[in-house]
Amino acid sequence: MTDRYGLVGKPLGQSKSPIVHGAFARQTAQDLTYELIEADAFAPAVDRFRAEGGRGINVTKPFKLDAFAYATECRERARLAGAVNCVKFEGDRAIAENYDGVGLANDIQRNQGFPMKGKRVLVLGAGGAARGAMLPFLQAEPKLLFVANRTVAKATRLGEEFGRHGNVVTGGYPDLGDEAFDVVVNATSCSMTGELPPVGAAQFGKDCLAYDLVYGKGLTPFLRLASETGRTRAVADGVGMLVEQAVEAFEWWRGVRPDSAPLIRQLTVPLA
Ligand code: ATR
C-alpha cells in the first residue's frame, strides 16, 4: 500500500517539499506520496490526515509550535528548539523531531565545505530559526558561536539555554564591533522583506562563508554586502538546508538515506 506523508502549513504555494520527497522516493524505490496540507488550524487537519492513514508530516509556518504541543513525545532536538518540523505517527504516538538545524549544519559543513570545528561562527537573529541551529552548531564544536540579535534579551536567553553545550557569546549588533568570523549565518527574517540586518562588513572574515537561510531570493542585501567585501570564499542561500532537512526526515520515516546532491543541483537558482 502506498504510504502517505505531507507538509502542513499556510501558505504553502511555493513549497518544494513534494518535489524533494517525490524524487527521494523514486531514487530509493519507496512507495509513498507526499502532499501539501494547507490548513487554518493544525490539530484538526493532522487528526484527519492520521485517520486517513497518514504516516508522517513535515511542519512549517505557522505551526511549528502547534506541532510541539500536539506531539505525544519529543526528541531532544525538537525539545531544545521548542519547535517541531517533522512528526512520525505510530499508532497513538506522534513522535516529534526538528531537522532544520541539522540540515543547515550539514549543508554548511559537507556541501559548502566549511567544517565549523575550531572556527568562529556568527548567527544573526535569535528567533525560531536561530534557536533550531544552536544545538547542531555547538555539536560541530566551533571555537566561538556569537549570537547577535536586535532584541538583545532574546539572544541572552539563547546563551543561557545553550551555553552548557559550548562557547556561546551573545549581544546586540553594536557589540560585534570589528570582530571577524569564518561563517556568518543570516537567521533573521530580514531577507523575506528585502532588508539588510544591521551587520557590518567587518564581520565577514577572510575566506568566510556567508549563508542566508532564505531560498530563491537571489543575492539578498545580506549576501550582496558579504560579496562586496571581496573576502568571502562562498555565499549560499538555504536551498541546501531545505534538501538536507528533508534527507533527515526521509531517513527517519523510511529507514533509507537518499542522496541530496541531485536535488540540490536541480533546485539551485543562481544567486547573481
Ligand atoms: P524565524 O522563525 O524565521 O526565526 P522569528 O522567530 O519571528 O522568525 O524571528 C525573526 C528574527 O529576525 C528575530 O531574530 C528578529 O529580531 P527580533 O528578535 O529583535 O525581533 C529578526 N529580525 C526581523 N526583522 C529584523 C530587522 N529589521 N532587523 C534586525 N532583525 C530583524
Side-chain angles (χ1 to χ4, degrees), residues 230-243:
R231 291 193 298 276
T232 54
R233 175 149 61 91
V235 294
D237 73 2
V239 63
M241 173 188 182
L242 168 81
V243 176

Side-chain angles (χ1 to χ4, degrees), residues 60-171:
T60 189
K61 283 184 178 183
F63 295 132
K64 290 187 180 188
L65 299 180
D66 298 81
F68 187 78
Y70 183 92
T72 59
E73 40 199 290
C74 267
R75 296 278 180 91
E76 187 191 29
R77 274 188 290 249
R79 197 163 35 75
L80 283 174
V84 165
N85 96 316
C86 189
V87 186
K88 187 200 276 190
F89 303 123
E90 288 181 358
D92 289 341
R93 299 164 72 199
I95 311 161
E97 254 289 9
N98 190 326
Y99 290 123
D100 285 331
V102 81
L104 172 61
N106 285 349
D107 190 39
I108 289 173
Q109 299 196 105
R110 298 177 190 170
N111 303 335
Q112 304 296 335
F114 283 80
M116 289 190 273
K117 190 176 171 69
K119 300 295 184 186
R120 295 166 54 83
V121 177
L122 171 61
V123 171
L124 309 177
R131 173 174 285 275
M134 292 298 290
L135 187 62
F137 275 28
L138 289 168
Q139 285 170 338
E141 299 177 26
K143 183 158 123 196
L144 164 71
L145 175 57
F146 197 123
V147 181
N149 197 43
R150 179 177 60 180
T151 310
V152 178
K154 277 166 72 178
T156 309
R157 202 170 324 131
L158 284 188
E160 286 164 1
E161 279 180 53
F162 289 92
R164 66 192 169 90
H165 296 282
N167 182 22
V168 184
V169 175
T170 61

Side-chain angles (χ1 to χ4, degrees), residues 61 64 124-131 148-152 154-155 173 186-193 195-198 213:
K61 283 184 178 183
K64 290 187 180 188
L124 309 177
R131 173 174 285 275
N149 197 43
R150 179 177 60 180
T151 310
V152 178
K154 277 166 72 178
Y173 290 97
N186 181 15
T188 71
S189 51
C190 288
S191 298
M192 302 296 292
T193 49
E195 285 173 86
L196 177 68
L213 261 53

